[in-house]
Amino acid sequence: MPNSAHDALIHLMIVAASSDSEMTEKELERIQGLIGRLPVFETFDSSRLAVVANACADKLNGPGGLDQVIDDAIAALPHKLQDTAYAVAVDVTSVDLHLEQEELRFLEMLRDRLDLDRLTTAAIEVSARARHRRMPD
């Protein structure tokens, strides 16, 4: 069954959060927070979140793995949501203010498959860093 656009965005957030082999509590809270407040999720039935997350895990463990999840997600997204997809993935990985190599690699893979120019992706990345910055000690 093809992903809905909501499912696709959630799959990309889950993969972003787990790309370093560990989904932190902060990352999980960020995913839930984004689903709860972003206009793109206004019509998403949040009671489906566990079902969508399990479907993502099944796809990751199935034939094609990560590549299949990314390809299916992008195929399910309207073109105008590609920047949103990248933004939510960056937002989830940026929540702990430190990106592991695996997270950077996932973002690179996603960036390469989306139809976004480098200026747009750079702006999204800078914006995420600015939003997650803390006061200096």
Side-chain angles (χ1 to χ4, degrees):
M1 179 172 126
N3 291 337
S4 72
H6 289 135
D7 293 2
L9 292 170
I10 293 167
H11 284 199
L12 292 174
M13 288 191 291
I14 289 169
V15 172
S18 60
S19 61
D20 61 354
S21 302
E22 174 186 7
M23 186 182 302
T24 67
E25 188 65 32
K26 281 184 178 181
E27 290 168 331
L28 182 58
E29 288 171 4
R30 177 57 48 130
I31 291 169
Q32 292 169 329
L34 291 170
I35 292 169
R37 82 170 177 275
L38 289 181
V40 74
F41 290 108
E42 284 177 344
T43 60
F44 178 69
D45 176 3
S46 58
S47 69
R48 290 189 58 246
L49 184 55
V51 171
V52 174
N54 287 333
C56 180
D58 290 345
K59 279 188 181 189
L60 279 171
N61 293 322
L66 176 60
D67 288 322
Q68 191 66 54
V69 172
I70 293 171
D71 291 343
D72 288 352
I74 292 171
L77 289 172
H79 189 266
K80 69 180 183 176
L81 288 182
Q82 288 202 3
D83 56 353
T84 303
Y86 191 68
V88 295
V90 169
D91 208 57
V92 169
T93 59
S94 301
V95 74
D96 58 7
L97 301 176
H98 175 76
L99 272 68
E100 298 292 338
Q101 275 307 114
E102 297 87 357
E103 292 169 314
L104 292 169
R105 178 67 187 126
F106 167 72
L107 291 175
E108 180 182 9
M109 288 174 65
L110 183 58
R111 188 172 54 235
D112 289 347
R113 290 190 174 142
L114 293 168
D115 186 23
L116 298 173
D117 62 80
R118 186 62 192 130
L119 189 57
T120 299
T121 59
I124 290 168
E125 293 162 5
V126 169
S127 175
R129 280 194 301 273
R131 281 192 316 278
H132 293 286
R133 196 165 284 136
R134 291 187 170 81
M135 294 297 277
D137 293 331

